[in-house]
């Protein structure tokens, strides 16, 4: 019925407009036509009233006739019974009158009359119900603009009618009753829609009059009007909530069960309308890459409404019958779907340009922190829901990885990738000196971490770390290792050729250039290693480490949190709950000293050590190569060698010592103290072994030759000490060249106590202690105790005996076969 009325009304309106407004000039006849239509409408109302009275009269008359017919029929049946019962004529049937008329014929007629009566009564009831619902609808229409209470009363009455007819057991199979129920449902929906729209529009107009979306400064009259409309919506909402069971059973869906309070919903709708107009249209302000534009506008609208919410709306709401709540918090919660709608609108742009997602996430995070810190909002996070979209998150991760790898590859391809960025004077010696590639790697990792620091999920942060940051460090390690491998294959090309003296150890020599190349790799790795140590202690990575420790503990067994990268690609929702459970603190002391970058730091440290060892081998080979002539020197036992106490170092060392000094200076510029100290200790150990095995133990000496050897050893030691900080270079055994110095003591020891220039500082002459040492019957431990008092502590007893035998003057004096 409702559909029929609506269809006819629409056709009548179209026909009326087509007949009367055929041109612009015909608009001048509007007033006359309206007056004529009002007269026609009044006349129709009068005729409808007359028709209604006539209908009621006819229904009453029909009812009276039916009652009369029913009474007469019952009387006739009673008379028929008496007549038949008193007759003596057996030929007359008990079911016939005497005139032959069949009783059943009369009964059939009476039954037809009774059926007509019932139909008339149903028609009357149908018309009465229809008139009642029409009165309700008319009351609602007439009260819509003037009397909110009248609208609410009509709305309640319509729901009462709906409840009455929806529970009628005779409705099944009764087409008329079903049609009437549908019309009542349509009427209820129309009253709800018209009342909601009218009050909501009036409420929005009040907001406009108050100055919103700018600063709100409401006049008292406007506040009163706003309060009336707010209360109207609140009451409409309350009635609907109370009738939710009836509406649900009748299939009438006016609002969802978890719908927000109606007046607050329409206050938020005002924000939604402005958002869609400015930021979800073809206007220039609708840009996916400028989330700060629309988020700042939303914040400004919230900021302007909060005083009104706190000072006026909260009290209005508290006086309503709706469930209690904080209207400020609820209003902000209603803003969340508006933001989500905007994010969904721009979703395709985000997926096609993943790096924009980082910017959007940053702005969303700041927006939500403002809501939480300033307005104490405790609702759900839009950022969480935004990044829960797997396509959005994957697009961001992939874009970050591609951008980082592209930047790294561009930098590493530059010939100056390992060039030091700053002058030596800018940084302290013990500070890592960044190269272009090292700084690029550190900045990439730091920038990526800064962007994803806003991600609420620790599991997603770990996926960022594994997918975008670790690959950059791995690429650097692989490239440096490749450089080292290549260097190792060709390293013999720059090792000194003593015979041709192709290269030198000067600051500008090819050898020094190769050392600088090695040092640049060392500084690169060291710079990234120090950065990784700092990252390991920063809050974001500490939280990640705690998360993987929790996860390892949840897995049980021998799970090692450092193996998290092996399984992160297979993590699911169960893993997320464990990883994101920040409320559970990790107390496993076994992992307290670890960190998410622990293995990276270890790998970089090992690579740094490998570079140092490669430098050490190169330096040692080059230096020892320069000692070939010194090794071949054969006049250690000649007369006059070292006879003068002021004798200089051997001429074979005259070229080595300046270059050794220059080498130490170069190392101090290229490496931190710890690195150069390592290289010099290694070089000292190599020289110590060389001087003992290839010189002292390989030649014959007299005391003068021994003294020359002692001068040479002291000169080398002074170069190492003076150039690199003295005692800091001493190894576990004490002073540098310890064994070589002890060899020099033995070889320069006075034969019989005679004081000669250049004698050893040993307190006993060689003739006093050497025989007992050479005696096979002497206990080795006792011999070493004696030698220890003489300052010989690092050489073995066999080495000492070999050195004593190298003293030709001692051998000539003590030529006992048992000794030699």
């Amino acid at each position: 019925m409702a559909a029929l009325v609506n269809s006819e009304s629409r056709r009548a309106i179209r026909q009326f407009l087509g007949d009367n407004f055929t041109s612009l000039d015909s608009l001048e006849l509007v007033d006359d036509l309206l007056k004529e239509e009002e007269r026609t409408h009044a006349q129709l109302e009068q005729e409808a009233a007359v028709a209604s009275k006539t209908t009621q009269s006819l229904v009453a008359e029909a009812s009276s006739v039916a009652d009369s017919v029913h009474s007469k029929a019952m009387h006739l049946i009673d008379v028929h019974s008496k007549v038949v019962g008193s007759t003596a004529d057996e030929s007359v049937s008990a079911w016939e009158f005497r005139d032959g008329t069949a009783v059943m014929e009369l009964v059939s007629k009476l039954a037809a009359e009774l059926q007509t009566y019932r139909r008339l009564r149903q028609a009357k009831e149908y018309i009465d119900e229809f008139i009642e619902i029409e009165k309700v609808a008319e009351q609602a229409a007439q009260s819509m603009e003037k009397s909110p209470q009248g609208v609410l009363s009509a709305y309640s009455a319509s729901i009462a009618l709906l409840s009455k007819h929806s529970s009628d057991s005779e409705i099944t199979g009764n087409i008329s009753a079903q049609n009437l129920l549908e019309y009542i449902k349509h009427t209820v929906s129309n009253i709800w829609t018209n009342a909601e729209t009218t009050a909501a529009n009036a409420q929005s107009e009040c907001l406009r009059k108050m100055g919103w979306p700018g600063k709100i400064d409401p006049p008292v009259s406007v506040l009163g009007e706003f309060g009336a409309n707010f209360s109207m919506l609140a009451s409409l909402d309350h009635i609907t909530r109370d009738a939710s069971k009836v509406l649900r059973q009748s299939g009438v869906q006016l609002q969802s069960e978890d719908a927000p309070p109606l007046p607050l919903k329409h206050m938020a709708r005002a924000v939604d309308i402005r958002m869609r107009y400015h930021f979800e249209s073809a206007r220039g302000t609708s840009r996916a890459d400028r989330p700060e534009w629309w988020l700042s506008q939303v914040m400004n609208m919230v900021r302007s409404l909060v005083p009104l919410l706190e000072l006026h709306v909260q009290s209005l709401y508290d006086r309503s019958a709706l469930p209690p709540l904080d209207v400020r918090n609820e209003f902000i919660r209603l803003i969340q779907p508006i933001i989500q709608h905007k994010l969904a609108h721009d979703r395709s742009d985000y997926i096609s340009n993943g790096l924009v997602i980082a910017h959007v996430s940053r702005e969303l995070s700041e927006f939500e922190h403002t809501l939480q810190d300033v307005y104490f909002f405790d609702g759900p996070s839009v950022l969480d829901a935004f990044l829960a979209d797997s396509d959005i998150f994957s697009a961001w991760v992939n874009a970050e990885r591609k951008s980082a790898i592209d930047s790294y590859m561009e930098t590493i391809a530059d010939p100056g990738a390992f060039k030091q960025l700053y002058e030596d004077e800018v940084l302290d010696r013990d500070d890592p000196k960044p190269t272009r590639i090292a700084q690029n790697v550190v900045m990439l990792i730091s920038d990526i971490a800064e962007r994803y620091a806003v991600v609420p999920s620790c599991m997603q942060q770990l996926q960022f770390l594994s997918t975008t940051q670790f690959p950059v460090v791995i690429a650097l390690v692989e490239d440096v290792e490749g450089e080292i491998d290549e260097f190792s294959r060709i390293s013999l090309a720059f090792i000194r050729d003593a015979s041709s003296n192709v290269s030198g150890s000067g600051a500008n020599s090819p050898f020094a250039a190769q050392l600088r190349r090695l040092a640049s790799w060392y500084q690169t790795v060291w710079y990234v290693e120090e950065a990784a140590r700092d990252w390991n202690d920063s809050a974001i990575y500490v939280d990640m480490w705690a998360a993987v420790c929790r996860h390892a503990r949840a897995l049980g067994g021998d799970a090692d949190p450092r193996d998290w990268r092996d399984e992160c690609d297979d993590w699911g929702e169960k893993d997320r709950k464990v990883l994101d459970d920040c409320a559970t603190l990790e107390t496993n002391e076994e992992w307290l000293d670890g960190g998410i970058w622990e293995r990276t730091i270890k790998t970089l440290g090992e690579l740094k050590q490998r570079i140092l060892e490669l430098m050490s081998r190169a330096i040692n080979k080059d230096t020892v190569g320069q000692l070939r002539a010194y090794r071949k020197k054969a006049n250690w036992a000649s007369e006059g060698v070292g006879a003068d106490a002021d004798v200089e170092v051997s001429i074979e060392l005259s070229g080595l010592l300046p270059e050794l000094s220059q080498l130490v200076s170069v190392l101090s510029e290229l490496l931190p103290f710890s690195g150069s100290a390592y290289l010099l200790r290694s070089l000292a150990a190599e020289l110590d072994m060389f001087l003992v095995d290839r010189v002292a133990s390989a030649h014959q000496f007299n005391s003068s030759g021994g003294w020359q050897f002692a001068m040479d050893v002291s000169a080398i030691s002074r170069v190492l000490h003076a150039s690199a900080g003295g005692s800091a270079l001493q190894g576990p055994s004490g002073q540098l060249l310890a064994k070589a110095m002890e060899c020099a003591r033995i070889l320069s020891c006075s034969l019989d106590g005679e004081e000669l220039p250049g004698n050893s500082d040993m307190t006993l002459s060689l003739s006093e202690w050497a025989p007992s040492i050479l005696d096979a019957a002497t206990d080795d431990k006792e011999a070493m105790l004696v030698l220890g008092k003489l300052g010989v502590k690092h050489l073995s007893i066999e080495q000492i005996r070999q050195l004593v035998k190298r003293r030709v003057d001692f051998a000539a004096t003590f030529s006992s076969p048992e000794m030699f």
Side-chain angles (χ1 to χ4, degrees):
M1 179 181 291
L4 180 61
V5 172
N6 287 339
S7 176
E8 290 179 354
S9 298
R10 286 194 294 271
R11 285 198 296 272
I13 290 171
R14 285 197 296 270
Q15 182 178 355
F16 177 82
L17 294 174
D19 294 343
N20 294 283
F21 299 100
T22 58
S23 66
L24 293 174
D25 296 335
S26 62
L27 294 175
E28 297 177 356
L29 303 175
V30 171
D31 291 339
D32 296 337
L33 289 173
L34 289 175
K35 290 179 181 179
E36 182 180 350
E37 290 301 321
E38 288 177 354
R39 287 193 298 271
T40 301
H41 181 69
Q43 182 179 355
L44 290 174
E45 285 184 342
Q46 292 176 357
E47 291 177 358
V50 172
S52 175
K53 290 180 181 179
T54 302
T55 301
Q56 293 177 2
S57 174
L58 290 174
V59 169
E61 183 178 353
S63 177
S64 176
V65 171
D67 290 342
S68 176
V69 170
H70 179 266
S71 175
K72 289 179 180 180
M74 296 304 295
H75 176 69
L76 288 174
I77 290 173
D78 183 57
V79 170
H80 171 264
S81 299
K82 291 180 180 180
V83 171
V84 172
S86 61
T87 184
D89 188 353
E90 295 180 357
S91 62
V92 178
S93 171
W95 292 102
E96 294 180 352
F97 292 107
R98 289 186 177 275
D99 57 3
T101 303
V103 175
M104 292 307 299
E105 182 180 351
L106 176 61
V107 172
S108 297
K109 292 180 179 179
L110 292 176
E113 293 294 338
L114 183 61
Q115 184 67 23
T116 301
Y117 164 74
R118 288 175 178 171
R119 286 199 299 269
L120 288 173
R121 186 176 64 182
Q122 290 175 352
K124 177 180 178 299
E125 292 174 353
Y126 184 88
I127 292 172
D128 289 344
E129 295 292 346
F130 183 80
I131 292 173
E132 184 176 358
I133 192 63
E134 281 294 308
K135 287 181 179 179
V136 170
E138 183 178 0
Q139 177 189 350
Q142 292 175 351
S143 305
M144 194 65 67
E145 300 290 342
K146 301 177 181 179
S147 175
Q149 290 302 321
V151 176
L152 295 174
S153 176
Y155 181 57
S156 298
S158 68
I159 291 178
L161 287 171
L162 180 64
S163 176
K164 172 184 175 183
H165 287 274
S166 62
S167 61
D168 190 350
S169 60
E170 297 181 359
I171 193 172
T172 304
N174 190 331
I175 302 300
S176 298
Q178 292 176 1
N179 290 338
L180 181 62
L181 179 60
E182 288 299 319
Y183 185 67
I184 295 174
K185 290 161 62 175
H186 177 74
T187 301
V188 170
S189 297
N190 279 347
I191 295 175
W192 158 271
T193 301
N194 294 335
E196 179 190 18
T197 303
T198 301
N201 291 340
Q203 179 176 271
S204 298
E205 180 63 19
C206 290
L207 287 176
R208 187 191 64 79
K209 292 178 181 178
M210 293 178 186
W212 191 80
K215 183 179 180 181
I216 293 181
D217 187 15
V220 176
S221 59
V222 177
L223 273 179
E225 184 181 351
F226 174 83
N229 289 295
F230 185 95
S231 299
M232 168 68 178
L233 289 170
S235 299
L236 194 65
D237 191 1
H238 173 63
I239 294 171
T240 305
R241 292 177 188 272
D242 283 352
S244 60
K245 183 178 180 180
V246 173
L247 294 171
R248 185 170 59 254
Q249 290 176 347
S250 303
V252 179
Q253 182 68 34
L254 300 180
Q255 62 180 9
S256 60
E257 294 184 3
D258 58 347
L262 199 57
L264 296 180
K265 169 187 172 182
H266 285 286
M267 290 185 71
R269 183 171 173 269
V271 177
D272 189 24
I273 292 173
R274 284 163 175 78
M275 274 288 296
R276 299 196 185 199
Y277 175 75
H278 289 289
F279 302 108
E280 296 183 26
S281 62
R283 299 173 66 85
T285 52
S286 180
R287 292 182 55 178
D289 61 337
R290 289 290 183 267
E292 64 273 17
W293 289 0
W294 55 271
L295 283 172
S296 62
Q297 288 300 313
V298 173
M299 182 58 70
N300 288 337
M301 286 188 279
V302 171
R303 189 177 292 114
S304 64
L305 273 175
V306 163
L308 179 69
L309 294 170
E310 294 176 339
L311 297 176
H312 301 287
V313 176
Q314 185 67 60
S315 60
L316 289 172
Y317 186 89
D318 291 342
R319 291 197 294 270
S320 72
L322 295 174
L325 54 75
D326 182 345
V327 295
R328 179 188 61 198
N329 198 71
E330 179 66 12
F331 176 77
I332 295 175
R333 189 184 69 81
L334 294 176
I335 297 297
Q336 310 299 299
I338 300 174
I339 298 173
Q340 290 175 334
H341 190 276
K342 168 61 178 171
L343 294 173
H345 178 269
D346 295 335
R347 183 175 183 272
S348 59
D349 294 326
Y350 297 150
I351 292 176
S352 61
N353 185 8
L355 290 179
V356 174
I357 301 173
H359 182 40
V360 174
S361 299
R362 171 67 61 182
E363 294 296 329
L364 277 175
S365 177
E366 293 178 358
F367 176 81
E368 292 187 341
H369 281 143
T370 300
L371 294 180
Q372 294 164 2
D373 298 341
V374 178
Y375 301 113
F376 307 104
F377 177 63
D378 58 359
S381 168
V382 175
L383 181 58
D384 275 351
F386 178 59
L387 295 179
D389 185 334
S390 59
D391 292 336
I392 289 289
F393 182 71
S394 296
W396 184 7
V397 171
N398 293 335
E400 287 283 8
R401 181 176 59 246
K402 183 179 184 303
S403 176
I405 293 300
D406 288 348
S407 176
Y408 174 82
M409 295 304 295
E410 180 182 356
T411 304
I412 198 67
D414 191 319
F418 290 97
K419 183 179 179 181
Q420 186 174 313
L421 289 175
Y422 309 111
E423 298 295 333
D424 293 336
E425 294 77 10
V426 176
L427 297 172
D428 187 76
R429 176 182 179 184
D430 288 327
D431 292 331
K433 298 176 177 59
T435 58
R436 285 193 59 198
I437 189 61
Q439 188 176 64
N440 175 259
V441 168
V442 171
M443 290 182 64
L444 283 174
I445 293 174
S446 299
D447 290 346
I448 292 172
E450 183 179 358
R451 286 192 288 269
Y452 75 66
V454 301
V455 175
S457 169
C458 192
M459 187 180 84
Q460 289 182 327
Q461 289 183 344
L462 286 163
Q463 289 170 335
F464 260 111
L465 175 63
S466 175
T467 309
T468 65
Q469 292 174 293
F470 279 163
V472 176
V473 179
I474 291 171
L476 176 67
V477 170
E478 290 177 347
D479 285 332
V480 173
E481 286 180 337
E483 294 283 350
I484 292 173
D485 293 340
E486 181 66 19
F487 182 88
S488 298
R489 284 193 293 270
I490 65 173
S491 60
L492 292 177
F494 67 83
I495 298 302
R496 173 180 304 278
D497 184 347
S499 60
S500 59
N501 197 26
V502 173
S503 65
S505 296
N508 298 319
S509 67
F511 180 68
Q514 296 295 348
L515 290 180
R516 286 189 172 88
R517 184 183 177 194
L518 288 165
S520 69
W521 302 339
Y522 180 91
Q523 293 286 357
T524 297
V525 175
W526 184 28
Y527 186 77
V528 177
E529 179 193 26
E530 289 301 309
R533 292 185 187 277
D534 293 337
W535 298 331
N536 213 37
D537 295 332
S538 63
I540 184 172
Y541 297 114
V542 169
D543 291 341
M544 290 187 198
W545 178 245
V548 297
C549 288
R550 280 197 305 273
H551 188 259
R553 185 173 60 181
L555 293 176
D558 298 328
D560 189 336
R562 291 170 296 193
D563 296 332
W564 65 273
R565 286 195 66 202
D566 299 336
E567 56 190 24
C568 67
D569 292 338
D570 300 324
W571 281 343
E573 188 60 31
K574 182 179 179 181
D575 301 289
R576 176 193 286 271
K577 290 180 180 179
V578 176
L579 291 165
D580 292 352
D581 184 15
C582 298
T584 302
L585 297 178
E586 178 54 46
T587 57
N588 190 344
E589 296 183 0
E590 183 180 354
W591 307 112
L592 289 180
D593 295 332
I596 208 73
W597 289 95
E598 179 182 351
R599 287 188 172 174
T600 301
I601 294 170
K602 180 181 178 182
T603 299
L604 293 170
E606 291 172 349
L607 183 58
K608 189 174 64 172
Q609 184 62 30
R610 183 183 173 191
I611 297 171
L612 282 178
E613 290 173 356
L614 185 59
M615 294 181 74
S616 176
R617 288 198 301 272
I619 292 170
N620 293 350
K621 286 182 180 180
D622 181 82
T623 304
V624 170
Q626 296 183 65
L627 290 172
R628 289 177 184 173
Y630 186 74
R631 176 175 60 85
K632 295 178 179 180
K633 180 179 178 179
N635 63 343
W636 297 106
S638 302
E639 291 296 329
V641 176
D644 187 355
D646 296 327
V647 69
E648 299 294 336
V649 296
S650 298
I651 191 171
E652 292 83 358
L653 292 181
S654 59
L656 171 67
L657 295 178
E659 291 191 8
L660 184 59
S661 178
Q662 184 64 45
L663 170 65
V664 175
S665 178
V666 169
L667 292 178
S668 65
E669 294 175 2
L670 298 179
L671 299 172
F673 182 81
S674 59
S676 61
Y678 171 84
L679 294 179
L680 292 176
R681 280 197 298 267
S682 175
L683 176 59
E686 184 75 15
L687 290 174
D688 198 21
M689 183 174 64
F690 178 87
L691 292 171
V692 172
D693 296 341
R694 308 297 295 276
V695 179
S697 300
H699 295 282
Q700 301 290 336
F701 287 83
N702 59 21
S703 61
S704 298
W707 177 249
Q708 183 64 66
F709 179 74
M711 292 288 289
D712 294 342
V713 173
S714 297
I716 295 173
S717 181
R718 282 196 303 271
V719 171
L720 296 177
H721 276 270
S723 302
S727 61
L729 292 181
Q730 293 180 2
S733 60
Q735 67 181 122
L736 295 175
L737 309 178
K739 291 184 178 181
M741 294 293 289
E742 291 180 1
C743 286
R745 278 189 181 146
I746 295 172
L747 295 175
S748 63
C749 182
S750 171
L751 180 62
D752 54 6
E754 181 182 3
E755 293 291 336
L756 296 173
N759 280 159
S760 171
D761 58 357
M762 296 183 75
T763 57
L764 297 176
S765 65
L766 191 63
S767 59
E768 291 177 308
W769 61 267
S772 62
I773 296 299
L774 295 176
D775 188 354
T778 304
D779 182 70
D780 291 348
K781 292 183 179 179
E782 292 181 2
M784 290 305 299
L785 289 175
V786 173
L787 291 169
K789 294 178 181 180
L790 296 175
V792 180
K793 301 178 181 179
H794 301 95
L795 294 172
S796 68
I797 190 64
E798 293 301 326
Q799 287 176 318
I800 296 170
R801 288 169 178 166
Q802 181 67 23
L803 289 171
V804 171
K805 294 176 182 179
R806 289 289 174 181
R807 284 288 298 270
V808 295
D809 50 355
F810 178 78
T813 304
F814 300 90
S815 55
S816 171
E818 292 81 4
M819 294 183 180
F820 294 92

